[in-house]
Amino acid sequence: MSVTIYEIAERAGVSSSTVARILRGDVRESHARSAATARRVRALASEMGYRANLRARAFSRGRTHSIGLLYTDDAWIFEGVNQHVVNSLVRSLQSEGYHLVFCPIDDGNAWEEIVLGGQIDGGVVFQSLPPKVALAVQERRLPLVLLGDNSDPSLPQVVVDDFAGAYAATKHLIGLGHRRVMLFVHETVKPHCSITERQSGYRAALAEAGLAPCEAMLVSEGEATDAIVRGPERPTGVICYSDLESTLLMHALWQFGISVPSEVSIVGFNDVFSTRFMTPPLTTVGFDAAKIGALGAQLVLQGIETSDRAQAPELLTVKPKLIVRGSTGPAASRDG
Amino acid sequence: MSVTIYEIAERAGVSSSTVARILRGDVRESHARSAATARRVRALASEMGYRANLRARAFSRGRTHSIGLLYTDDAWIFEGVNQHVVNSLVRSLQSEGYHLVFCPIDDGNAWEEIVLGGQIDGGVVFQSLPPKVALAVQERRLPLVLLGDNSDPSLPQVVVDDFAGAYAATKHLIGLGHRRVMLFVHETVKPHCSITERQSGYRAALAEAGLAPCEAMLVSEGEATDAIVRGPERPTGVICYSDLESTLLMHALWQFGISVPSEVSIVGFNDVFSTRFMTPPLTTVGFDAAKIGALGAQLVLQGIETSDRAQAPELLTVKPKLIVRGSTGPAASRDG
DNA sequence: GACGAACATGCCACCGGTGTCAAATTAAGC
DNA sequence: GCTTAATTTGACACCGGTGGCATGTTCGTC
């Protein structure tokens, strides 16, 4: 099949160990002779088109240099800002000699093979870690990192400071004179720590200003429209959980002829690229997605290196910042 | 470390081969005795928490059951409709016992390790196959499938019938009375077969109606705005290469107070989810993205099974269809 | 009950690296 | 030049399955 170290060893007149060591790079080459053989071996390897067999290496070392991307929600990992996180993850891992493997977790048992069969050295969990997986993984002592999920405090994790983001967004609207500020989370969004965090930040800012929260967690697109647009006390400012809500809401308001921001101000979340081309461009809470991926990669690899589960797991936080664009403005009239 | 077939064999009082065969499932169990041992072995395996070591299996069989996702453009694989393709690819592969590995190809040599080191059994190429990779892969006889790339006719591929899509879109506008129809491709879009195909379809439809093409391939966002909106002969209908163009154009027209569709009609491409919430909802050319992924998976696995490169490579085509929504309407006035 | 076919089972080499240990070689010190 | 320490090199077991081949067992048939 392909060239092995044995074939090179034979032609170079040295042992396979020597070839392996030279090609792997752990040889100091202080001797004149060793330097000469190293040169010869390397020349032969290059000439013969040698490539280390990664399957054999993985077997013998017990490491695949693969990291699993564990996720349950198909849409989530690709959606909006998460694609940048994944991308950054891939790049960061690659630069350290690791690569990322898709590992969707569903009702089947395909994930078990990968996670428990020793196919991956560690895993990066997106959004949420199903209990069945958590249990299985714990036995195998597979290093994991949680991204955007604080459900298991015993694992290292990278999170966005959602409280601060929602707080800043709410403050922004209050500062513009808004008194009825709504937090809008679409019903299809699965329960998730970022929701509660954003809720807390939102409530904290309102409480500080002595205002009452008016939250919405609506069922269908139609209902979302109705409740917000035609509700008894229409809010003058809405903070959307994500771009999905921003998009739906902007669309609904447009249909009803309600203008943004003169009648209703909207703040989004995540700073998805296309939202800056909305009409009007969306004021939104953004954060450095690439940093999340990079930190995530760092934490898994750290977990693999040390494999010391005793120490307190790291918790890294990424700070968001409010990006003011055109969808927010002064409250139309006092108590409009 | 973890349980091996040898430990099970010892406790069951049989040989390791027997255990391996039973747990792998290739045993017919017609004998009463073999059925009994099979039961016993399986019970022991389950009790001891046995999991086949995939690293060992990959090594011994020379197959990793990994497929590489080869791509050069970060943004592309996640963008719009492609996420559905990737997702479907992952799922289709998973159901056949394979999994997908991110394999970004850049100037570094990280991809070489994966592609040439026997880390993957096959590859799915997105958008374009760099020559250096094509060359390296050819030597190794690694089965590849091209998705949305017709640059190498010697490889199996899955493509969307872009000609038909653009033709239908153009016909649609012509049917609505439009006589100056533009094809808009943003300058940042890399040269790609789908561009030329769409161009051809667009031109063919115009030629049939005896109309002259007016194409645009513009430099920056500002210029796009200017050329289309303030050009000497403003088109009444624009076909956008993708959602990026649709988004930019819609935004530009809004800024200039030009209404869609009464003054300008817009047709998009790819039917990205969020475009149905544009103002107005985008008329667009859509296609079954999941099907592309499924067909892609099928073709790679087929290539792995047969490993017969002699036969003519398959070329599967997915038909697009025009989805008419609110962004297209009758041409305002004759020769507006 | 004997005979051959069909099939279960065991033995063992093999995949291609890694890493340990002992032997061989070299450099350093006096 | 001789001894000792440092370092390179080689031999070899090992990782945990797989699969070919020989052996042993069961079954059907006459």
Side-chain angles (χ1 to χ4, degrees):
Chain A
M1 212 41 144
S2 46
V3 185
T4 68
I5 52 169
Y6 299 99
E7 298 170 69
I8 296 177
E10 193 173 3
R11 284 189 47 184
V14 294
S15 78
S16 62
S17 314
T18 303
V19 175
R21 275 188 288 254
I22 290 170
L23 295 180
R24 217 182 320 146
D26 56 336
V27 74
R28 285 169 212 73
E29 300 181 31
S30 52
H31 291 219
R33 189 184 121 180
S34 77
T37 53
R39 245 196 316 281
R40 193 152 42 89
V41 165
R42 266 194 276 268
L44 267 173
S46 152
E47 178 195 328
M48 297 166 76
Y50 173 79
R51 278 272 151 198
N53 183 328
L54 296 183
R55 293 187 303 270
R57 179 171 288 170
F59 175 50
S60 129
R61 294 227 281 203
R63 289 276 168 80
T64 59
H65 276 224
S66 293
I67 301 293
L69 177 66
L70 279 57
Y71 62 99
T72 49
D73 188 348
D74 288 344
W76 188 260
I77 62 158
F78 290 113
E79 201 56 27
V81 80
N82 287 326
Q83 58 185 254
H84 298 296
V85 177
V86 173
N87 191 40
S88 150
L89 194 55
V90 171
R91 296 293 178 165
S92 304
L93 289 175
Q94 183 171 262
S95 71
E96 298 293 326
Y98 283 78
H99 47 266
L100 195 64
V101 179
F102 284 90
C103 189
I105 293 165
D106 51 20
D107 299 330
N109 54 0
W111 66 270
E112 289 189 0
E113 282 268 289
I114 301 176
V115 173
L116 304 178
Q119 181 70 249
I120 54 177
D121 297 343
V124 176
V125 178
F126 250 71
Q127 200 188 14
S128 76
L129 181 63
K132 60 179 180 186
V133 182
L135 219 68
V137 162
Q138 201 155 27
E139 278 178 42
R140 303 276 156 160
R141 306 190 167 253
L142 193 74
L144 288 188
V145 172
L146 304 182
L147 296 193
D149 174 26
N150 62 8
S151 63
D152 192 338
S154 72
L155 294 171
Q157 51 190 278
V158 183
V159 292
V160 174
D161 191 343
D162 284 301
F163 181 97
Y167 181 86
T170 313
K171 269 282 198 192
H172 169 63
L173 288 179
I174 293 171
L176 285 167
H178 294 270
R179 306 208 47 209
R180 277 203 310 285
V181 177
M182 172 183 263
L183 178 65
F184 174 30
V185 185
H186 198 263
E187 209 266 345
T188 56
V189 176
K190 294 181 186 159
H192 186 247
C193 63
S194 64
I195 298 179
T196 51
E197 284 295 308
R198 289 177 195 181
Q199 258 176 340
S200 305
Y202 159 77
R203 286 177 187 160
L206 285 180
E208 234 174 58
L211 297 171
C214 59
E215 295 167 29
M217 183 96 77
L218 301 153
V219 181
S220 68
E221 288 163 30
E223 288 186 50
T225 310
D226 287 8
I228 296 173
V229 173
R230 297 200 291 223
E233 297 231 313
R234 197 169 79 198
T236 64
V238 180
I239 294 170
C240 297
Y241 172 67
S242 77
D243 4 298
L244 172 66
E245 284 85 356
S246 308
T247 308
L248 291 176
L249 181 58
M250 207 81 110
H251 187 64
L253 291 172
W254 169 79
Q255 283 182 320
F256 280 77
I258 298 167
S259 106
V260 177
S262 61
E263 289 178 89
V264 176
S265 283
I266 300 182
V267 183
F269 238 99
N270 292 356
D271 187 25
V272 168
F273 180 72
S274 66
T275 60
R276 71 197 59 175
F277 299 109
M278 279 179 164
T279 54
L282 192 70
T283 291
T284 187
V285 178
F287 51 88
D288 187 349
K291 193 175 172 189
I292 298 179
L295 291 175
Q298 184 194 314
L299 287 184
V300 223
L301 296 183
Q302 199 170 300
I304 292 171
E305 291 307 317
T306 65
S307 73
D308 179 13
R309 312 301 236 84
Q311 66 189 10
E314 287 211 59
L315 167 62
L316 303 179
T317 306
V318 173
K319 290 282 173 195
K321 69 172 194 294
L322 185 72
I323 300 158
V324 178
R325 287 200 274 254
S327 68
T328 50
S333 62
R334 197 169 163 279
D335 228 37
Chain B
M1 214 37 146
S2 47
V3 185
T4 69
I5 51 170
Y6 298 100
E7 297 169 69
I8 296 177
E10 194 174 1
R11 283 190 47 184
V14 294
S15 78
S16 63
S17 313
T18 304
V19 175
R21 275 189 286 254
I22 290 171
L23 295 180
R24 218 183 317 146
D26 57 337
V27 74
R28 288 169 209 71
E29 298 180 33
S30 51
H31 291 219
R33 188 184 123 181
S34 76
T37 51
R39 247 196 313 281
R40 194 151 42 89
V41 165
R42 266 194 276 267
L44 268 172
S46 154
E47 179 195 327
M48 298 167 75
Y50 173 78
R51 278 273 151 199
N53 183 328
L54 297 183
R55 293 186 302 271
R57 180 170 289 171
F59 174 50
S60 112
R61 294 228 279 203
R63 289 276 167 80
T64 59
H65 276 224
S66 294
I67 302 293
L69 176 66
L70 279 58
Y71 62 97
T72 49
D73 187 348
D74 288 344
W76 188 260
I77 62 158
F78 290 113
E79 201 57 27
V81 80
N82 287 328
Q83 58 185 254
H84 298 296
V85 177
V86 174
N87 191 40
S88 151
L89 194 55
V90 172
R91 297 293 178 164
S92 304
L93 289 174
Q94 182 170 262
S95 71
E96 299 293 326
Y98 283 78
H99 48 265
L100 195 65
V101 179
F102 284 89
C103 189
I105 293 166
D106 52 20
D107 299 332
N109 54 359
W111 67 270
E112 288 189 0
E113 282 267 290
I114 301 176
V115 173
L116 304 179
Q119 181 70 248
I120 55 177
D121 297 343
V124 176
V125 178
F126 252 69
Q127 201 189 14
S128 76
L129 181 63
K132 60 180 178 184
V133 181
L135 219 67
V137 162
Q138 201 155 27
E139 276 178 44
R140 302 277 156 159
R141 303 186 170 254
L142 193 74
L144 287 189
V145 172
L146 305 182
L147 297 193
D149 174 26
N150 63 7
S151 63
D152 190 339
S154 71
L155 293 171
Q157 51 189 277
V158 183
V159 292
V160 174
D161 189 343
D162 284 302
F163 181 96
Y167 181 85
T170 313
K171 269 283 200 192
H172 169 63
L173 288 179
I174 294 171
L176 285 167
H178 294 271
R179 305 205 51 206
R180 278 204 310 284
V181 177
M182 173 183 262
L183 178 66
F184 175 30
V185 185
H186 198 263
E187 208 265 344
T188 57
V189 176
K190 295 180 185 158
H192 187 248
C193 62
S194 64
I195 298 179
T196 51
E197 284 296 308
R198 289 178 195 180
Q199 258 177 339
S200 304
Y202 158 79
R203 286 178 188 159
L206 285 181
E208 235 174 57
L211 297 171
C214 58
E215 295 166 31
M217 184 95 79
L218 303 153
V219 181
S220 67
E221 288 162 28
E223 288 187 53
T225 309
D226 287 8
I228 296 174
V229 173
R230 297 200 290 222
E233 297 232 313
R234 195 170 80 198
T236 65
V238 180
I239 294 171
C240 297
Y241 172 67
S242 76
D243 3 299
L244 171 67
E245 284 84 357
S246 308
T247 307
L248 292 176
L249 181 57
M250 207 80 111
H251 187 64
L253 291 172
W254 169 78
Q255 282 182 320
F256 280 78
I258 298 168
S259 107
V260 177
S262 60
E263 290 178 89
V264 176
S265 283
I266 300 181
V267 183
F269 237 98
N270 292 355
D271 187 24
V272 168
F273 180 72
S274 66
T275 59
R276 70 197 61 175
F277 299 109
M278 279 180 163
T279 52
L282 191 70
T283 292
T284 187
V285 178
F287 52 87
D288 188 349
K291 193 175 171 188
I292 299 179
L295 290 175
Q298 184 195 312
L299 287 183
V300 222
L301 297 184
Q302 198 171 301
I304 292 172
E305 291 306 317
T306 66
S307 74
D308 179 13
R309 313 301 237 85
Q311 66 190 11
E314 287 211 59
L315 167 61
L316 302 178
T317 306
V318 174
K319 289 284 172 193
K321 69 173 193 294
L322 185 72
I323 300 161
V324 178
R325 288 199 275 254
S327 68
T328 50
S333 63
R334 198 167 165 281
D335 229 36

